[in-house]
Amino acid sequence: MVCSDANWAWQSAFLLMRSMAFDAGKALDHHLYLAGDVDQRVLDILPPEITLHRIEELPESYSLAAKGHIPAASLLRLVALEELGRSYPRIIYLDGDVFQAWGSLADLLAVDLEGKLVAAVRDKLQWPSGKRWMERYINQLARRCGVDRLEYFNSGVLLIDGTAYVDAKISARTFAFITDNRDFLRFVDQCALNAVLATQWCELSPGWNWQVSRKVLGLTVGRRPRLVHFVGEIKPWVDQLRVLPPEAFHAMLDFLKHHRLTDLLSPKAPCHFDFRSMERARVRFITDWAGDTFAKREAVKSYLDRTDFADYAAGLRSFG
């Protein structure tokens, strides 16, 4: 299941149609929640196997809750999870900026949730060992939700017990937490979900939500995670300096070419890269982003070397 507004409509279609292609056993149903005035051409390419849920206009409260690069449409997942949870015992949610590199998402259904409501990957800000800039904020969030310590997940990829989610009224409680703490929440519904689901989630290994950013850019070398999540403002389709690993963009470009939708690409897309004028800027940017890769590896080594993840217990591989 993917939720989006018109700005990420083709990206969401790409993500779901790629999931369908990898789902050889047809074990999954695919749902797309779309808000706003979506290009009709994107709607026309959706296969009948994708159930489309149209929302003409988002409530004003969603816009008030949006912050920074987090769109108001991200709150659509709270509505979608409540609806789908009444029909599905398991739900897999993906953000629209996730790239499925290999393997079927249906494999996740083998994970034992151990009585928890959700399985997710720890947020990259909690991958390194030692003190972190966000530690104080997470501690404050923990106090607001009444727990001593908060293990903080990234909500871009979620495996959810649909029945338990609905019974526990998670969406309603999350909306209420956002309303009561709007000015405090750094990442809006992700923080609210962490607060409401504190102690009620089990941990997947990072290959199910490899969060590409300055912190982990150099760490992808030698690894092929199943799901790559382009957190932050630089996405494959606006990666003007070709900073990100190219596999995702080339797959997206092939998709758009096949459906004759390349005009939807931003002028900042990698295909508009001009080596003569932009190569030096690219090298400077990558050098700044990469930093000391060896030090980064050491900082996250204890996390990446763990063997107690729920997907490992199910015999799954998260890296190819």
Side-chain angles (χ1 to χ4, degrees):
M1 181 260 287
V2 179
C3 301
S4 174
D5 59 16
N7 292 321
W8 284 14
W10 73 258
Q11 295 90 330
S12 300
F14 164 80
L15 177 55
L16 286 174
M17 291 166 74
R18 188 171 176 87
S19 172
M20 289 175 57
F22 281 120
D23 182 28
K26 299 189 183 303
L28 300 173
D29 292 338
H30 292 80
H31 292 260
L32 176 58
Y33 282 73
L34 274 180
D37 186 15
V38 178
D39 191 314
Q40 185 61 44
R41 296 176 299 163
V42 175
L43 300 178
D44 290 342
I45 68 171
L46 294 176
E49 293 84 358
I50 293 178
T51 301
L52 178 63
H53 307 257
R54 291 299 306 275
I55 294 88
E56 295 301 327
E57 187 174 356
L58 292 172
E60 184 180 0
S61 59
Y62 285 27
S63 298
L64 293 174
K67 183 178 293 186
H69 65 274
I70 301 171
S74 68
L75 274 71
L76 263 181
R77 63 179 159 187
L78 299 177
V79 175
L81 290 172
E82 180 72 20
E83 290 183 357
L84 297 181
R86 300 190 187 104
S87 302
Y88 293 93
R90 289 288 186 272
I91 304 168
I92 299 170
Y93 166 81
L94 303 176
D95 275 355
D97 54 356
V98 170
F99 172 68
Q100 185 175 352
W102 63 276
S104 173
L105 291 174
D107 292 346
L108 269 179
L109 301 179
V111 171
D112 183 356
L113 291 178
E114 303 166 358
K116 308 292 187 182
L117 276 68
V118 170
V121 174
R122 184 178 296 264
D123 192 87
K124 66 177 174 33
L125 294 170
Q126 283 198 330
W127 290 9
S129 56
K131 299 291 184 180
R132 299 172 299 279
W133 68 268
M134 200 176 177
E135 185 173 359
R136 179 179 298 178
Y137 170 74
I138 292 177
N139 289 338
Q140 292 173 341
L141 185 61
R143 287 193 291 272
R144 291 191 180 220
C145 63
V147 296
D148 294 332
R149 175 174 171 77
L150 189 67
E151 304 296 337
Y152 186 90
F153 61 83
N154 182 278
S155 60
V157 178
L158 299 173
L159 171 65
I160 296 161
D161 182 325
T163 303
Y165 182 96
V166 172
D167 290 345
K169 298 180 171 54
I170 299 301
S171 287
R173 290 163 56 194
T174 302
F175 274 122
F177 194 89
I178 292 171
T179 300
D180 294 341
N181 299 274
R182 181 177 288 119
D183 294 337
F184 169 76
L185 299 176
R186 287 179 178 266
F187 305 113
V188 196
D189 58 325
Q190 175 171 284
C191 292
L193 279 167
N194 268 276
V196 173
L197 291 166
T199 74
Q200 289 298 312
W201 67 283
C202 59
E203 195 166 355
L204 299 173
S205 61
W208 292 101
N209 185 353
W210 187 259
Q211 300 152 53
V212 176
S213 67
R214 181 189 299 264
K215 282 187 176 293
V216 302
L217 182 65
L219 304 184
T220 309
V221 177
R223 293 184 174 88
R224 192 164 186 246
R226 286 207 191 211
L227 298 175
V228 182
H229 185 188
F230 298 98
V231 297
E233 297 183 5
I234 299 180
K235 313 294 183 185
W237 55 90
V238 289
D239 181 19
Q240 190 170 22
L241 293 178
R242 293 187 179 180
V243 174
L244 301 175
E247 180 184 5
F249 175 74
H250 289 318
M252 293 175 182
L253 182 59
D254 289 344
F255 170 82
L256 291 173
K257 285 180 177 178
H258 176 75
H259 294 289
R260 299 182 180 180
L261 295 174
T262 53
D263 60 293
L264 297 180
L265 275 174
S266 162
K268 294 182 179 181
C271 58
H272 300 295
F273 184 82
D274 182 347
F275 278 99
R276 292 172 299 178
S277 62
M278 300 167 73
E279 179 62 14
R280 292 180 64 183
R282 176 180 181 271
V283 171
R284 285 196 300 268
F285 194 95
I286 290 178
T287 300
D288 179 53
W289 256 44
D292 188 340
T293 301
F294 179 78
K296 288 181 180 180
R297 286 183 182 273
E298 286 300 303
V300 300
K301 183 177 185 300
S302 60
Y303 168 69
L304 296 180
D305 287 349
R306 281 175 47 193
T307 59
D308 59 342
F309 297 112
D311 51 304
Y312 288 178
L316 301 178
R317 290 188 303 121
S318 60
F319 292 98

